[in-house]
Amino acid sequence: MNVGISAIGTYLPEKILHNTDLELTLETTDEWIQSRTGIKARHIAAEGEFTSHLAIAAVQNLVNKHGAAALEHVDLVIVATATPDAYFPSTAALVQAHFGLKAAAFDIMVACAGWVYALNVARAQIVAGTSQKVLVIGAETFSKIVNWYDRNTAVLFGDGAGAAILEPVGAGFGFAGFYWGADGNGAKFLHSGALGKRLPSGEPLEPFVVQNGREVFKFATRIMPEAIVQVAKNAGWQLEDIDRIVPHQANARIIEAASERLGLASSKFVVSIERHANNSAATIPLALEHGIEHNLIKQGDKVILVGFGGGLAWSAAALTWSY
Ligand code: UT7
């Protein structure tokens, strides 16, 4: 059975925080942020606006674009998020209730690799016959867990959400391969905890995002090309067959490094980090939507989605675009 993405929708909160705004509160410059990361601005959720609200708005955008029929027969909702509204209920259950769906619902927590992990799980449910149609969302409010006094992390993240429908698609379209993995030994390089929580080493966790940028950069520039090569192999594709790569938007320099390592033109990579920064599990659907809107992705294109981040973890999907 061929399973693919048949609809997509996104949402970015109204408030925009430019690099120049951060110059007022942090020892940083627009020049440093742009040259080191490619980021110009990020969107910030309002007080009282939580991840479920962003997820619901992304689904509403999907419905506005593709019609209400897109949600008919959805029997499973998965939200990939590291910033859920609560420990429980799941953010997915709040989305299910809002749209009145007769569906199972759960969250997946794999930070920046989460959305592609969720796609892999969703596809497997459809192939197994336990679901007909799955709503897969990546939604984050990292602004609520960022330490706004730490210039090493505060400039990097933003809030946002993206939603997709997965269902059976025609022959020759849809997912052709997946590749995923994790290495929890890297937990010390990128984490965020609730007060009172600890790493297995006993080290107390701060209640906000902590990152060893250089170590994560090294990991990211190694794992992204590796995951692209592996997922292409799993799909039976040659690297030359790939039309477009939609990577996690953590740093434009990581994407450039992958393009150089693989010897693939940088024009094959969709880059949208400039306007929305790193939205963790939401960056790949946001970049995918950007690629579709700018005509970079069209029916029949061989597309690779690739995520990496906290865990450490990574995930990639190869699919032939179906609409
Ligand atoms: O989505 C999860 C996955 N995360 C990632 O993939 C992030 C991977 N890491 C990165 O993207 C980069 O390492 C960063 C963007 C986080 C940092 O860039 P870098 O080129 O690796 O900078 P650095 O950490 O080596 O810092 C260089 C200098 C330091 O100053 P000294 O020690 O050389 O005097 C930092 O203190 O830049 C300083 N610095 C800043 N300066 C101005 C760090 N942050 C800032 C800032 N503004 N915001």
Side-chain angles (χ1 to χ4, degrees), residues 189-243:
F189 297 135
L190 180 53
H191 52 255
S192 171
L195 276 173
K197 303 278 180 196
R198 288 171 183 275
L199 280 173
S201 59
E203 204 180 310
L205 281 164
E206 302 286 0
F208 42 70
V209 180
V210 175
Q211 175 171 251
N212 180 329
R214 282 178 207 182
E215 286 298 333
V216 179
F217 192 91
K218 272 193 271 174
F219 156 73
T221 50
R222 175 178 61 78
I223 205 68
M224 200 160 100
E226 191 181 307
I228 292 168
V229 167
Q230 287 300 328
V231 78
K233 200 166 140 197
N234 292 348
W237 298 354
Q238 302 297 315
L239 282 187
E240 313 79 81
D241 297 338
I242 301 167
D243 293 301

Side-chain angles (χ1 to χ4, degrees), residues 26-29 32-33 36-37 39 111-113 142 150-157 190 211-221 248-254 278-280 283 308-310 312:
L26 287 169
E27 209 177 303
T28 191
T29 60
W32 191 97
I33 302 170
R36 297 291 182 118
T37 69
I39 298 166
C112 308
F142 259 56
D150 175 15
R151 68 176 184 175
N152 291 295
T153 49
V155 305
L156 303 175
F157 297 97
L190 180 53
Q211 175 171 251
N212 180 329
R214 282 178 207 182
E215 286 298 333
V216 179
F217 192 91
K218 272 193 271 174
F219 156 73
T221 50
H248 170 47
Q249 311 282 309
N251 187 330
R253 287 193 294 133
I254 294 173
N278 181 347
N279 322 86
S280 184
T283 63
F308 55 84
L312 300 172

Side-chain angles (χ1 to χ4, degrees), residues 128-193:
T130 34
S131 293
Q132 287 187 57
K133 208 173 178 184
V134 187
L135 179 56
V136 182
I137 303 165
E140 303 279 16
T141 46
F142 259 56
S143 67
K144 298 189 194 296
I145 60 163
V146 153
N147 175 358
W148 287 101
Y149 298 102
D150 175 15
R151 68 176 184 175
N152 291 295
T153 49
V155 305
L156 303 175
F157 297 97
D159 302 334
I165 296 285
L166 263 68
E167 61 181 321
V169 291
F173 294 108
F175 292 104
F178 279 93
Y179 177 72
W180 61 7
D183 177 11
N185 293 308
K188 55 186 175 290
F189 297 135
L190 180 53
H191 52 255
S192 171

